[in-house]
Amino acid sequence: MSTPLAELQELLGYTFRDPLLLERAVTHPSWLQDHPDAVESNQRLEFLGDAVLQLVLTEELFQLFPTEREGMLSQRRATLSKGSFLSQVARELGLDQCLLLGGSEEVAGGRQRAAALEDALEAVIGALFLDSDLATAKRVILGFYGDLPERLALGLTDNPKGRLQELVQPRFGNEALRYEVTSVEGAHHARAYEVAVFIHDNQVGTGRGTSKKLAEEAAAAAALETIAAKTGE
C-alpha cells in the first residue's frame, strides 16, 4: 500500500537515500510537543531549503530573461517564492497529507495552514540538497515548478477562475461554467494537462499546465482574453 511519503517521492521523481531526512522535512514543530523522543523538527532544513530555492530560481531566471534588469528579476523571483505560491505548490505535491503534526495543531487545522506548507516545502528542498547535490536539487525543483514563464503568468494574474465566474454568473447562472480535461501527457512525475473551459456547450478557452489546477487557471485566463477581445473591454 502506497504511503503519502512514497507518493511524494514519486511526484518529485526522486527517491531519498536517507528516508529519515525526508521524514524530518515533514515534521512540524508541534509534533515534538507530543513526541519528546523525536530528534528535530523541520525548521533547520527549512532555513537551508530557502537558500537553495532562492539560488535555483535566481540562476534559472537569469538564464530565461537575459535582457531584464535586476529589479524585474527580483520581482519575478519574489512571485515564485512567496508564501502563498509555495503553499500552492506544496498542495500540488500532496505535502499536506505528509505533515507530522501534534494533536492540537491537527485539530486546529494546521494541515492546511499556508505557513506550515510553505515551511515543509522549503524543508523538503533542504533535505533533497543534503541527500544529493545542487544539480539534482535544481532538476527536481524545476521539475515540480514546471514552466516558469507559465507559473509567472498565472502568479501575476489575479484568480482567473474567480474572475471568469464573476463575469459569467450574472448572465448565464451559477452552473454555466464547466472545465474538462482534454489530454494528459508525460510520466506520472512530469504530467502535462490540457483543459478546455465551456460556457454551457460553447468552448471559450483552453490551457495547459503541469497540474489540473494550473491548466484550468490557464484556460480561464484564455477565456477572459477571448471575451475581452469580443466585447472590447
Side-chain angles (χ1 to χ4, degrees):
M1 183 176 179
S2 181
T3 66
L5 286 181
E7 292 175 3
L8 171 63
Q9 290 176 93
E10 186 175 354
L11 285 172
L12 291 174
Y14 180 84
T15 301
F16 277 76
R17 294 177 294 178
D18 182 358
L20 292 178
L21 268 175
L22 179 58
E23 183 175 325
R24 189 179 305 166
V26 298
T27 301
H28 189 269
S30 64
W31 179 261
L32 273 62
Q33 299 170 9
D34 294 349
H35 301 82
D37 294 336
V39 177
E40 191 178 353
S41 74
N42 61 9
Q43 290 179 308
R44 281 170 50 84
L45 285 174
E46 173 206 341
F47 169 76
L48 176 62
D50 175 62
V52 174
L53 177 61
Q54 293 294 322
L55 176 59
V56 168
L57 290 177
T58 298
E59 181 185 10
E60 191 67 10
L61 291 170
F62 184 84
Q63 299 296 337
L64 281 173
F65 302 100
T67 63
E68 285 191 349
R69 299 177 67 86
E70 178 188 357
M72 180 55 72
L73 290 172
S74 296
Q75 181 181 336
R76 292 185 186 278
R77 185 180 61 192
T79 297
L80 292 169
S81 58
K82 66 183 179 181
S84 59
F85 206 98
L86 294 183
S87 62
Q88 173 186 316
V89 174
R91 289 188 183 94
E92 292 171 10
L93 292 170
L95 262 176
D96 53 329
Q97 300 305 310
C98 298
L99 291 177
L100 297 177
L101 299 171
S104 59
E105 185 68 16
E106 183 77 70
V107 171
R111 196 168 295 278
Q112 296 305 318
R113 290 189 199 279
L117 292 169
E118 173 192 355
D119 293 350
L121 181 60
E122 290 177 339
V124 166
I125 292 170
L128 172 66
F129 173 73
L130 291 178
D131 197 66
S132 57
D133 51 39
L134 182 58
T136 302
K138 179 179 179 179
R139 174 184 63 78
V140 175
I141 291 168
L142 295 179
F144 64 66
Y145 260 84
D147 185 85
L148 290 190
E150 175 187 313
R151 286 278 193 182
L152 284 164
L154 293 173
L156 295 171
T157 301
D158 182 24
N159 188 13
K161 288 182 67 177
R163 290 199 293 121
L164 182 61
Q165 179 70 25
E166 290 174 1
L167 189 64
V168 169
Q169 181 180 340
R171 185 179 300 177
F172 298 101
N174 292 335
E175 306 301 322
L177 278 177
R178 173 171 59 88
Y179 293 86
E180 181 179 314
V181 176
T182 56
S183 72
V184 182
E185 302 171 356
H188 185 67
H189 64 277
R191 289 281 168 84
Y193 293 81
E194 183 167 317
V195 166
V197 58
F198 298 82
I199 299 177
H200 294 309
D201 292 326
N202 297 319
Q203 181 175 311
V204 290
T206 62
R208 290 177 63 86
T210 52
S211 70
K212 182 180 175 183
K213 175 182 173 60
L214 285 172
E216 288 180 350
E217 290 180 347
L224 287 167
E225 291 180 4
T226 298
I227 293 171
K230 288 181 177 180
T231 60
E233 296 179 358

